Amino acid sequence: MSLTFHLDFASSEARAGRLITPHGEVETPVFMPVGTVASVKGVPQETLEELGVQILLANTYHLYLRPGVTTVRQMGGLHRFMAWPRAILTDSGGFQVFSLNDLRKVTDEGVTFRSHLDGSTHFFSPESAMEAQIALGADIIMAFDECTEYPADAARTRASMELTLRWAERSKKYFEDHKAEVPWNAAGEIARATPVPATQALFGIVQGGMDHKLRRESAARTVEIGFPGYAIGGLSVGEPRALTREIVEATIAHLPSDKPRYLMGVGTPEEIVDYACLGVDMMDCVLPTRAARHGLLFTSEGKVSIKQARYAQDETPLDPNCGCRVCRRYSRAYLRHLYASNEVLAQGLNTVHNLSFYLDTMRRVRHAIRLGERSRFLSDVWSRPKP
Ligand SMILES: [Zn+2]
């Protein structure tokens, strides 16, 4: 077994289901917090468990540079290394490498790039990206792709899409030949718990820029290669929000309904609800964690910039409708003071609340889908007054 996906409820486009991974069950649609270097900055793993996090995302590029995939493999893989027994997804490293515009060179073989840490030169190919992700040992891993920049002309978008398709085939081939090498499989941990040896699941990534026809072609040809799940990549790269939504909708129409769909790198609370309504099953974004570290907090009453002086003597909780451990215990005045004093605790508490808000939002989305209340869907989830 690598991954099973059960669709429990579907009403029109929106659906609720369960991903069964070698490290536990994940209820979908799911928002995956980002733990870039195998850590959600400022939040210990037991708190993530308490928040109900069922799957975390970690970044291959960062872990490859530090501490290095050999070290993680020797420590038994990411789960054991970071003491996280639940599911993990790693990206392929492609997106981060492509963000290093001045530091990279792309050929058909792969990408040469320079480390943002020390300027040293490295090379990622579909094969080496798979090798790294197998060593890290996440439950779900991603094919190596090229994230097409925005804007890009028609010829460039097609060439980039074709490259991603060639790399998808090479990723799958390497993975199929080497999937038994995952560290927790070798350790026999999972083999003991399940009737057949467990392996990771490799997802394909659909590209095709902002072109509907290329998106359809990319989806069809990626599905033809065959993966247990499909990601929609190449979005949130600077295009207008309305265009992101349009391309998501156009791409989903060409993905199989019985496989999980993962929209990479989105979004605001409103957006993740909207995408779940369109039939997206998995999402990840640095927004709730990064914004928290900058004092920007998402609440049922809208965004709160906790640094503002108006909160200096505000005794109320950050979000009166939130039951998280931060809102139950601390006042806005105290959170504002921690932030203004640059206390480490501010980052941790702010992140716990923002994650709680995102996870709670998705919980309510799943509930609404399960009740089949699609007509009242958005109003159910966003029933509270906004300022
Ligand atoms: Zn809260």
Side-chain angles (χ1 to χ4, degrees), residues 234-249:
L235 294 175
S236 284
V237 288
E239 77 281 9
R241 293 271 165 85
L243 185 54
T244 315
R245 190 185 192 282
E246 184 188 313
I247 296 299
V248 169
E249 209 171 2

mmCIF file of all heavy atoms in Angstrom, residues 234-249:
data_model
loop_
_atom_site.group_PDB
_atom_site.id
_atom_site.type_symbol
_atom_site.label_atom_id
_atom_site.label_comp_id
_atom_site.label_asym_id
_atom_site.label_seq_id
_atom_site.Cartn_x
_atom_site.Cartn_y
_atom_site.Cartn_z
ATOM 1 N N GLY A 234 2.320 25.732 -10.885
ATOM 2 C CA GLY A 234 2.492 26.896 -11.739
ATOM 3 C C GLY A 234 1.487 28.009 -11.500
ATOM 4 O O GLY A 234 1.322 28.889 -12.341
ATOM 5 N N LEU A 235 0.832 27.983 -10.329
ATOM 6 C CA LEU A 235 -0.091 29.083 -9.994
ATOM 7 C C LEU A 235 0.443 29.828 -8.765
ATOM 8 O O LEU A 235 1.392 29.380 -8.138
ATOM 9 C CB LEU A 235 -1.501 28.535 -9.751
ATOM 10 C CG LEU A 235 -2.155 27.946 -11.008
ATOM 11 C CD1 LEU A 235 -3.497 27.310 -10.667
ATOM 12 C CD2 LEU A 235 -2.335 29.008 -12.094
ATOM 13 N N SER A 236 -0.193 30.979 -8.461
ATOM 14 C CA SER A 236 0.326 31.854 -7.399
ATOM 15 C C SER A 236 1.748 32.284 -7.720
ATOM 16 O O SER A 236 2.631 32.279 -6.875
ATOM 17 C CB SER A 236 0.312 31.150 -6.035
ATOM 18 O OG SER A 236 -0.979 31.097 -5.531
ATOM 19 N N VAL A 237 1.989 32.599 -8.991
ATOM 20 C CA VAL A 237 3.317 33.039 -9.424
ATOM 21 C C VAL A 237 3.281 34.508 -9.867
ATOM 22 O O VAL A 237 4.125 34.946 -10.637
ATOM 23 C CB VAL A 237 3.875 32.130 -10.552
ATOM 24 C CG1 VAL A 237 4.257 30.777 -10.001
ATOM 25 C CG2 VAL A 237 2.864 31.966 -11.692
ATOM 26 N N GLY A 238 2.280 35.230 -9.375
ATOM 27 C CA GLY A 238 2.186 36.657 -9.681
ATOM 28 C C GLY A 238 0.995 37.026 -10.549
ATOM 29 O O GLY A 238 0.776 38.202 -10.841
ATOM 30 N N GLU A 239 0.212 36.027 -10.984
ATOM 31 C CA GLU A 239 -0.944 36.313 -11.823
ATOM 32 C C GLU A 239 -2.093 36.855 -10.960
ATOM 33 O O GLU A 239 -2.110 36.635 -9.750
ATOM 34 C CB GLU A 239 -1.392 35.035 -12.560
ATOM 35 C CG GLU A 239 -2.173 34.015 -11.719
ATOM 36 C CD GLU A 239 -1.293 33.151 -10.815
ATOM 37 O OE1 GLU A 239 -0.084 33.427 -10.693
ATOM 38 O OE2 GLU A 239 -1.835 32.212 -10.197
ATOM 39 N N PRO A 240 -3.067 37.552 -11.595
ATOM 40 C CA PRO A 240 -4.215 38.045 -10.815
ATOM 41 C C PRO A 240 -5.009 36.877 -10.218
ATOM 42 O O PRO A 240 -5.065 35.790 -10.796
ATOM 43 C CB PRO A 240 -5.072 38.789 -11.840
ATOM 44 C CG PRO A 240 -4.281 38.867 -13.090
ATOM 45 C CD PRO A 240 -3.151 37.912 -13.016
ATOM 46 N N ARG A 241 -5.620 37.116 -9.063
ATOM 47 C CA ARG A 241 -6.360 36.066 -8.344
ATOM 48 C C ARG A 241 -7.464 35.443 -9.200
ATOM 49 O O ARG A 241 -7.685 34.229 -9.151
ATOM 50 C CB ARG A 241 -7.005 36.659 -7.092
ATOM 51 C CG ARG A 241 -6.011 37.108 -6.053
ATOM 52 C CD ARG A 241 -5.647 36.002 -5.090
ATOM 53 N NE ARG A 241 -4.452 36.329 -4.317
ATOM 54 C CZ ARG A 241 -4.447 37.043 -3.196
ATOM 55 N NH1 ARG A 241 -5.558 37.514 -2.708
ATOM 56 N NH2 ARG A 241 -3.319 37.287 -2.556
ATOM 57 N N ALA A 242 -8.165 36.288 -9.968
ATOM 58 C CA ALA A 242 -9.280 35.780 -10.779
ATOM 59 C C ALA A 242 -8.766 34.773 -11.805
ATOM 60 O O ALA A 242 -9.435 33.787 -12.121
ATOM 61 C CB ALA A 242 -9.991 36.940 -11.474
ATOM 62 N N LEU A 243 -7.565 35.024 -12.316
ATOM 63 C CA LEU A 243 -6.968 34.118 -13.302
ATOM 64 C C LEU A 243 -6.566 32.796 -12.638
ATOM 65 O O LEU A 243 -6.756 31.723 -13.207
ATOM 66 C CB LEU A 243 -5.756 34.804 -13.952
ATOM 67 C CG LEU A 243 -5.068 34.056 -15.089
ATOM 68 C CD1 LEU A 243 -6.054 33.673 -16.192
ATOM 69 C CD2 LEU A 243 -3.947 34.931 -15.687
ATOM 70 N N THR A 244 -6.037 32.866 -11.420
ATOM 71 C CA THR A 244 -5.696 31.646 -10.689
ATOM 72 C C THR A 244 -6.922 30.754 -10.593
ATOM 73 O O THR A 244 -6.883 29.565 -10.915
ATOM 74 C CB THR A 244 -5.249 31.981 -9.236
ATOM 75 O OG1 THR A 244 -4.360 33.083 -9.254
ATOM 76 C CG2 THR A 244 -4.599 30.780 -8.559
ATOM 77 N N ARG A 245 -8.025 31.353 -10.178
ATOM 78 C CA ARG A 245 -9.265 30.596 -9.984
ATOM 79 C C ARG A 245 -9.747 29.983 -11.294
ATOM 80 O O ARG A 245 -10.145 28.818 -11.343
ATOM 81 C CB ARG A 245 -10.337 31.524 -9.416
ATOM 82 C CG ARG A 245 -11.581 30.788 -8.964
ATOM 83 C CD ARG A 245 -12.654 31.763 -8.538
ATOM 84 N NE ARG A 245 -13.733 31.069 -7.851
ATOM 85 C CZ ARG A 245 -14.686 30.379 -8.447
ATOM 86 N NH1 ARG A 245 -14.704 30.255 -9.769
ATOM 87 N NH2 ARG A 245 -15.627 29.778 -7.734
ATOM 88 N N GLU A 246 -9.671 30.794 -12.346
ATOM 89 C CA GLU A 246 -10.116 30.336 -13.665
ATOM 90 C C GLU A 246 -9.297 29.116 -14.124
ATOM 91 O O GLU A 246 -9.847 28.133 -14.619
ATOM 92 C CB GLU A 246 -9.926 31.508 -14.639
ATOM 93 C CG GLU A 246 -10.403 31.277 -16.039
ATOM 94 C CD GLU A 246 -9.972 32.453 -16.932
ATOM 95 O OE1 GLU A 246 -10.160 33.634 -16.538
ATOM 96 O OE2 GLU A 246 -9.433 32.186 -18.029
ATOM 97 N N ILE A 247 -7.989 29.160 -13.909
ATOM 98 C CA ILE A 247 -7.120 28.063 -14.350
ATOM 99 C C ILE A 247 -7.327 26.825 -13.461
ATOM 100 O O ILE A 247 -7.304 25.690 -13.937
ATOM 101 C CB ILE A 247 -5.637 28.518 -14.353
ATOM 102 C CG1 ILE A 247 -5.432 29.647 -15.379
ATOM 103 C CG2 ILE A 247 -4.705 27.345 -14.657
ATOM 104 C CD1 ILE A 247 -5.756 29.272 -16.821
ATOM 105 N N VAL A 248 -7.549 27.044 -12.179
ATOM 106 C CA VAL A 248 -7.833 25.912 -11.285
ATOM 107 C C VAL A 248 -9.077 25.181 -11.772
ATOM 108 O O VAL A 248 -9.087 23.959 -11.932
ATOM 109 C CB VAL A 248 -8.038 26.388 -9.826
ATOM 110 C CG1 VAL A 248 -8.589 25.262 -8.954
ATOM 111 C CG2 VAL A 248 -6.723 26.904 -9.237
ATOM 112 N N GLU A 249 -10.118 25.951 -12.035
ATOM 113 C CA GLU A 249 -11.384 25.373 -12.485
ATOM 114 C C GLU A 249 -11.204 24.629 -13.804
ATOM 115 O O GLU A 249 -11.683 23.502 -13.972
ATOM 116 C CB GLU A 249 -12.411 26.506 -12.635
ATOM 117 C CG GLU A 249 -13.817 26.048 -12.396
ATOM 118 C CD GLU A 249 -14.794 27.230 -12.330
ATOM 119 O OE1 GLU A 249 -14.380 28.392 -12.509
ATOM 120 O OE2 GLU A 249 -15.983 26.956 -12.098
#
